[in-house]
Amino acid sequence: MQLISLNTARAEPLLIDGRPVMTGIRKRPVDGEVEVRPLGLEGDEQADPSVHGGLSKAVYAYPSEHYAFWRTVRAQAQAAGWDDPLSWGAMGENLTISGLAEGDAWIGDVLVFPDCELAVSEPRYPCFKFNAVMGFNKAAKMMTQSGWCGFYLAVRQPGTITAGQSFTVRPGPREVSIAELFRAKTKR
């Protein structure tokens, strides 16, 4: 399992249906070591802490394996060309990871990096801002139908993190997976 890309953004306005809406969803890859604090990554912001951020949703991880799907559906929706790239962070994630998908991530599992530990806390539930950054109005529905939602992480041990690092998973109680909780709450 590996951290492919480390992504941050400052909250800024995004034009949605003709009005500016503050959001931190437009994450971009960053180089070098980044400090991991109890409320998230240094240099990252969430515009609406009632739904993103806080101690239990400090960091958002998304599997890189799902990116090919999103490139395809964006092209099908004519929101992008067939050969257009989709840069890491495009899902709004802080951590683009490989080797750990929603069905294998359990509430309470801990991702152990060389200098920090992050606990799996809950799935991400998509909203209208996700539609806006993907460029088509059915993106949130597609995320719900696919179950490829990614997951939030709570900071168990602050420290630093760097793109390219490997990580391991220390199992939690293994009572409910991210995929199971997402399906139960979205009733798909």
Side-chain angles (χ1 to χ4, degrees):
M1 291 172 273
Q2 186 173 24
L3 174 58
I4 302 297
S5 183
L6 187 57
N7 314 295
T8 64
R10 294 287 185 192
E12 60 185 19
L14 175 64
L15 199 60
I16 301 175
D17 294 330
R19 63 182 180 93
V21 177
M22 290 301 287
T23 182
I25 197 170
R26 292 189 282 199
K27 309 286 189 222
R28 295 286 178 247
V30 295
D31 293 324
E33 192 174 83
V34 173
E35 189 173 339
V36 180
R37 300 174 179 155
L39 291 175
L41 303 179
E42 179 183 11
D44 191 56
E45 287 183 325
Q46 296 86 23
D48 185 356
S50 70
V51 291
H52 304 290
L55 292 172
S56 67
K57 297 184 279 188
V59 178
Y60 173 46
Y62 196 81
S64 62
E65 292 85 351
H66 303 329
Y67 265 72
F69 168 80
W70 290 109
R71 281 192 297 275
T72 299
V73 296
R74 290 182 77 234
Q76 289 171 334
Q78 299 180 348
W82 286 97
D83 295 324
D84 288 354
L86 191 58
S87 65
W88 302 130
M91 302 301 126
E93 81 273 17
N94 298 114
L95 310 181
T96 311
I97 59 172
S98 67
L100 183 63
E102 295 83 354
D104 300 317
W106 298 75
I107 304 299
D109 281 357
V110 178
L111 280 58
V112 180
F113 290 88
D115 189 48
C116 72
E117 295 184 3
L118 307 172
V120 176
S121 58
E122 66 182 90
R124 179 251 191 110
Y125 300 98
C127 69
F128 69 101
K129 293 177 186 178
F130 184 66
N131 287 344
V133 297
M134 287 290 102
F136 66 105
N137 287 333
K138 301 247 188 265
K141 181 178 181 180
M142 301 277 307
M143 181 177 276
T144 301
Q145 289 174 339
S146 70
W148 291 343
C149 57
F151 44 90
Y152 284 111
L153 302 159
V155 178
R156 282 276 176 90
Q157 176 189 316
T160 58
I161 197 167
T162 307
Q165 289 179 325
S166 293
F167 65 92
T168 59
V169 174
R170 187 170 62 235
R174 297 287 166 110
E175 294 170 351
V176 64
S177 73
I178 288 294
E180 291 168 331
L181 184 57
F182 188 75
R183 279 192 304 271
K185 287 198 174 186
T186 59
K187 294 177 178 62
R188 53 176 194 96

